[in-house]
Amino acid sequence: MAWPRFNLPLPDREPRENPVCGLHRFSAAKPKRRALLSQLTFNSDPQNDPEFFAEGARVGVLTSQPLDRVLDYKAPAGGCFRGAFVEVPLGPRKVLGVVWGPGAGDFDLAKLRSVIRVLDVAPMRDEMRAFLAKAADYTLTPMSSMLRLATRAPGLSDPPSMRKVLRLGENTPDRMTDARERVLAVMEEFGGLSFTPKELSDMAGVTASVVKGLVKQGALIEVETPRDQPYPHLDPELPSKTLTEDQASAAAILEDAVKSGSYGTTLLKGVTGSGKTEVYLEAVAACLRAGRQALVLLPEIALTAEFLKRVEARFGATPAEWHSGATMTERRRVWRMVGQGAAQLVIGARSALFLPYRDLGLIIVDEEHDTSYKQEDGVLYNARDMAVLRAAMCSAQVVLASATPSLESWANAKAGKYRRLDLTSRFGASVLPEMRAVDMRNEELTSGTWISPTLKQAIQLRLERGEQSLLFLNRRGFAPVTICRACGAQVACDNCDARMVEHRFLKRLMCHQCGETKPVPTECPSCKVEGKMAPVGPGIERLGEEAAGLFPEARIAVLSSDLFGSARALKARIEEIAAGEADIVLGTQLVAKGHNFPLLTLVGVIDADLGLQGSDLRAGERTFQLMRQVAGRAGRAERPGEALMQSFQPEHPVIRAILSGDEEEFWRAEAEQRRIAGVPPYGRMAGIVLSGPDLAQVFDLGNHLARNNGALTQVGAQLFGPAPAPIARIRGRHRVRLLIKAEKGVALQDAIARWLRPVQLKGDLRLNVDIDPQNFF
């Protein structure tokens, strides 16, 4: 049975998934299958009942297993309906599936196996199935992979049941230990109803006996509760913060858009600290009043703690959370309650887009420019783009919020596809920081140091005032390269074509591609000379050593994702810094993502030129966004802020644009360069990555594809390559890239599908397609 397509004419050929290369292949559709496909229509009216299949009827079930078709089964006793989640036999196993429609009919009904049972969860709605099909078509992803993405919750096939959870008791333990303190701290931070005893012990990093001891003493109590409870009611009528005139005007426009019940996308552009969150929370309130569900996507899990406090203050209760830091029990609860409409608001990472909302009315993409919204493995998709697609299919509104929007969103607003709302001033008494360049060509620095005298003087002034300083360097670890001063060899990863980064806190070298680690060597692995290994270049840890030497009395905090064992520990450290428990903060790009440090008045960018290197077409855009976002951390309260950018090329156009503050001029210049080059957003691109253990085989496949590219040339697309990828080997697999470039209106996916249809991958060869690539590594 063919995959259904949403709102498209019936194709002459039937898409069929190739489980080897992960792409749709195409074969002539049989007349019976074409007739069945034409019957598989999507229901645009959510009030209509889904199609029902009586006991013993033939049904087509899509499973999350890597197969090339919908499988035929017989409906179980009591029947089933389209969209029902079911458990079906597949060989000796029982697997999860969704009733996708009537069966194909090309297998003897008497020999079909029956659906084992219908699961007690809300069925997949027609608009959700349409969204998955459309997203699969756009990204050239197998439907089985899309279904896996949409069912990433544990225990969906478990029947409803009770469970024991823990909550804080009234008694105090007779003896307090570090382990007991950690358990009680977790309970106070997260609340007990979402934690089983095992989850609590895991979160606190203690043994089960510690938790049991607290239960015996009455510090914790066990209660029986349904496994999946509805979330507390959010009250949109609670008073909001007093908004400025600009905020109130923008909020009113968004509220009216939500009330319309129709699709629309708005770019909410506001300078850092302008109160974009308060504006879009009013749109959330309008959505809740209309009885619909809302989703807020955040780019970084560490942002959730502060954001949840703001949501609770606005609506009186904590919403549902969906991200990798949530417990398995909580993820299962979110998935089920979203489908039943018992979760009004979800705060989540990019995969929250694929939850089974009953009536999604609003999607907020906060910091919409952030590169973390692009999924770079498995199903390759951009959550910003998929949010717009999903909203269009369920008549919802999208708000793309950013101080430095992506060029794609800026161009869509310029072309009139998106509404644009601007917030031009900071909220309250705070003002935008003064930005200056420090010309490093005129600064005197000793070897192995990176903090200029000008920046040092500015930091010292803040220390005397009792204010905080932030030093930004977008490079993890202690040093990016370790070199032998005897022979010149650099320590590289054994499995990747990448240099290993020294992490002095861990006392290890680490490959940032595959995660491989090894001890820091005392003798050169190449020439065997002892005592000649030296770190080269600065990382955030090395900068910390320098700062500690320059300011021995200062309290220094380093914020880097690899220095914290859990998201909870990172959240706790950020809250401590915001409360004033650090004088100098050193951070990687993690610190640029929306954090609010009231005492921070100075930002020092150690190497403003770092992102301008390389051939990435988005290098200028990303540097501009990152520098503006980092600078925006300063002066967010009453005290004025200052941002100093150390640069060896302060005359560079991007650096000048950052300092001038004329963002619109930067976007216009950047857009014109892209338009002339015919690259996104004024052209189309797709990346093909071939990989395998044998370099010759990988290049042979690449050359074969390059010679037989007629399907691409027919639509005027250009093919570049094959060429070694910038990182030519990862985890022992050689990587070769091809790049496709086409005009904006070209049906690129269809051409790529036709081009790759004859490909038969042999052995351990792999082929991945990335539509609209964001990175070219």
Side-chain angles (χ1 to χ4, degrees), residues 66-310:
L67 301 171
D68 65 348
R69 62 191 184 280
V70 171
L71 303 175
D72 279 11
Y73 290 92
K74 288 191 288 190
C80 60
F81 39 83
R82 191 177 69 225
F85 286 87
V86 294
E87 189 176 64
V88 296
L90 186 63
R93 298 176 297 153
K94 298 177 182 177
V95 300
L96 178 71
V98 175
V99 176
W100 213 250
D106 56 357
F107 194 80
D108 186 356
L109 180 64
K111 296 181 180 179
L112 286 181
R113 302 171 78 179
S114 291
V115 170
I116 297 172
R117 64 188 177 97
V118 177
L119 304 185
D120 187 19
V121 298
M124 181 178 285
R125 298 172 59 81
D126 286 347
E127 60 90 4
M128 178 64 171
R129 299 192 306 126
F131 168 62
L132 294 180
K134 190 73 170 179
D137 280 342
Y138 186 84
T139 60
L140 291 176
T141 300
M143 280 297 295
S144 57
S145 298
M146 297 305 301
L147 184 59
R148 278 198 300 276
L149 192 59
T151 53
R152 292 176 59 184
L156 293 184
S157 59
D158 295 345
S161 61
M162 301 294 286
R163 61 168 180 158
K164 287 185 178 180
V165 295
L166 301 171
R167 63 170 54 144
L168 283 171
E170 297 181 356
N171 294 344
T172 302
D174 57 3
R175 182 174 58 87
M176 188 62 73
T177 64
D178 288 343
R180 287 179 172 180
E181 282 185 356
R182 292 202 299 274
V183 172
L184 296 178
V186 170
M187 293 294 294
E188 289 174 355
E189 180 177 359
F190 292 97
L193 290 180
S194 294
F195 287 101
T196 64
K198 183 180 187 308
E199 287 171 347
L200 181 57
S201 62
D202 289 345
M203 289 288 288
V206 301
T207 62
S209 60
V210 175
V211 175
K212 290 179 180 178
L214 289 171
V215 172
K216 287 182 180 178
Q217 297 199 14
L220 299 176
I221 57 175
E222 286 185 335
V223 295
E224 289 268 334
T225 183
R227 183 173 293 273
D228 300 309
Q229 288 186 318
Y231 284 86
H233 177 72
L234 304 180
D235 185 359
E237 303 306 331
L238 291 177
S240 63
K241 288 186 177 180
T242 302
L243 303 181
T244 65
E245 185 176 343
D246 276 358
Q247 287 178 312
S249 175
I253 292 172
L254 292 179
E255 289 177 43
D256 288 342
V258 171
K259 291 176 185 176
S260 72
S262 61
Y263 160 74
T265 297
T266 301
L267 173 61
L268 178 61
K269 182 183 181 299
V271 297
T272 54
S274 60
K276 294 183 292 295
T277 302
E278 300 305 329
V279 171
Y280 68 64
L281 284 182
E282 294 311 299
V284 171
C287 183
L288 300 184
R289 290 189 192 102
R292 304 187 73 185
Q293 294 167 298
L295 165 64
V296 177
L297 296 180
L298 298 178
E300 173 58 53
I301 189 175
L303 297 178
T304 56
E306 180 183 351
F307 184 80
L308 288 171
K309 291 179 181 177
R310 298 174 74 171

Side-chain angles (χ1 to χ4, degrees), residues 488-626:
Q490 300 178 11
V491 181
C493 177
D494 297 330
N495 303 312
C496 307
D497 284 345
R499 302 296 175 257
M500 300 198 81
V501 177
E502 180 180 347
H503 287 253
R504 189 154 292 187
F505 288 172
L506 302 176
K507 299 179 180 179
R508 307 280 292 180
L509 295 176
M510 177 181 291
C511 174
H512 286 177
Q513 298 303 318
C514 68
E516 183 71 21
T517 67
K518 63 175 69 172
V520 179
T522 56
E523 78 168 27
C524 175
S526 180
C527 69
K528 307 302 180 184
V529 173
E530 187 85 21
K532 292 292 184 178
M533 304 306 295
V536 176
I540 196 68
E541 295 174 16
R542 193 172 195 178
L543 187 65
E545 281 193 1
E546 181 181 352
L550 291 174
F551 310 102
E553 303 301 320
R555 298 168 298 169
I556 296 176
V558 179
L559 289 180
S560 181
S561 57
D562 49 9
L563 297 180
F564 295 88
S566 67
R568 179 174 150 305
L570 177 57
K571 289 180 189 177
R573 189 56 175 143
I574 289 173
E575 289 177 351
E576 291 170 358
I577 293 170
E581 295 186 19
D583 302 311
I584 302 175
V585 183
L586 291 85
T588 60
Q589 66 177 357
L590 178 71
V591 300
K593 299 187 177 184
H595 301 298
N596 185 27
F597 301 129
L599 299 177
L600 183 66
T601 60
L602 174 68
V603 169
V605 179
I606 298 301
D607 188 354
D609 308 326
L610 183 61
L612 297 175
Q613 302 167 5
S615 57
D616 186 351
L617 67 89
R618 293 183 174 87
E621 176 187 357
R622 287 175 176 168
T623 299
F624 180 84
Q625 291 167 336
L626 190 56

Side-chain angles (χ1 to χ4, degrees), residues 655-669:
I655 301 296
R656 290 207 312 268
I658 294 169
L659 296 175
S660 72
D662 191 348
E663 298 185 5
E664 290 303 308
E665 178 57 33
F666 171 78
W667 292 128
R668 284 192 292 268

Side-chain angles (χ1 to χ4, degrees), residues 418-494:
Y418 297 169
R419 179 193 296 110
R420 174 169 165 174
L421 301 175
D422 283 29
L423 301 176
T424 57
S425 59
R426 283 192 158 181
F427 180 78
S430 63
V431 295
L432 290 170
E434 178 188 353
M435 300 186 69
R436 294 194 290 125
V438 178
D439 191 339
M440 298 300 286
R441 297 169 297 190
N442 301 326
E443 298 284 324
E444 294 185 4
L445 285 176
T446 59
S447 177
T449 62
W450 290 270
I451 299 175
S452 67
T454 300
L455 182 55
K456 176 184 175 183
Q457 184 179 2
I459 296 171
Q460 186 62 50
L461 179 62
R462 268 65 185 186
L463 290 174
E464 293 169 1
R465 294 178 181 172
E467 298 170 356
Q468 290 177 328
S469 301
L470 166 66
L471 300 183
F472 173 78
L473 178 64
N474 197 21
R475 187 179 275 157
R476 292 181 293 156
F478 183 82
V481 177
T482 301
I483 193 170
C484 173
R485 288 179 173 164
C487 70
Q490 300 178 11
V491 181
C493 177
D494 297 330

Side-chain angles (χ1 to χ4, degrees), residues 280-475:
Y280 68 64
L281 284 182
E282 294 311 299
V284 171
C287 183
L288 300 184
R289 290 189 192 102
R292 304 187 73 185
Q293 294 167 298
L295 165 64
V296 177
L297 296 180
L298 298 178
E300 173 58 53
I301 189 175
L303 297 178
T304 56
E306 180 183 351
F307 184 80
L308 288 171
K309 291 179 181 177
R310 298 174 74 171
V311 172
E312 185 173 7
R314 175 63 182 85
F315 299 116
T318 303
E321 291 184 67
W322 178 271
H323 48 69
S324 59
T327 65
M328 291 294 100
T329 299
E330 195 66 12
R331 287 168 69 88
R332 178 180 184 271
R333 177 190 178 197
V334 172
W335 196 95
R336 283 177 171 261
M337 293 301 104
V338 161
Q340 295 175 21
Q344 297 165 279
L345 172 62
V346 176
I347 312 299
R350 58 181 178 242
S351 61
L353 268 175
F354 296 89
L355 290 172
Y357 300 94
R358 190 180 70 176
D359 187 9
L360 185 59
L362 175 66
I363 304 174
I364 309 290
V365 185
D366 200 12
E367 307 293 352
E368 65 88 28
H369 66 278
D370 200 284
T371 56
S372 63
Y373 284 125
K374 179 62 188 286
Q375 173 80 23
E376 297 286 3
D377 55 18
V379 179
L380 306 182
Y381 68 94
N382 191 312
R384 179 195 66 220
D385 301 337
M386 291 297 109
V388 173
L389 174 63
R390 177 131 205 209
M393 303 181 76
C394 61
S395 298
Q397 289 288 317
V398 180
V399 177
L400 306 177
S402 176
T404 56
S406 63
L407 186 58
E408 285 83 358
S409 296
W410 181 90
N412 280 329
K414 194 77 173 176
K417 295 179 180 179
Y418 297 169
R419 179 193 296 110
R420 174 169 165 174
L421 301 175
D422 283 29
L423 301 176
T424 57
S425 59
R426 283 192 158 181
F427 180 78
S430 63
V431 295
L432 290 170
E434 178 188 353
M435 300 186 69
R436 294 194 290 125
V438 178
D439 191 339
M440 298 300 286
R441 297 169 297 190
N442 301 326
E443 298 284 324
E444 294 185 4
L445 285 176
T446 59
S447 177
T449 62
W450 290 270
I451 299 175
S452 67
T454 300
L455 182 55
K456 176 184 175 183
Q457 184 179 2
I459 296 171
Q460 186 62 50
L461 179 62
R462 268 65 185 186
L463 290 174
E464 293 169 1
R465 294 178 181 172
E467 298 170 356
Q468 290 177 328
S469 301
L470 166 66
L471 300 183
F472 173 78
L473 178 64
N474 197 21
R475 187 179 275 157

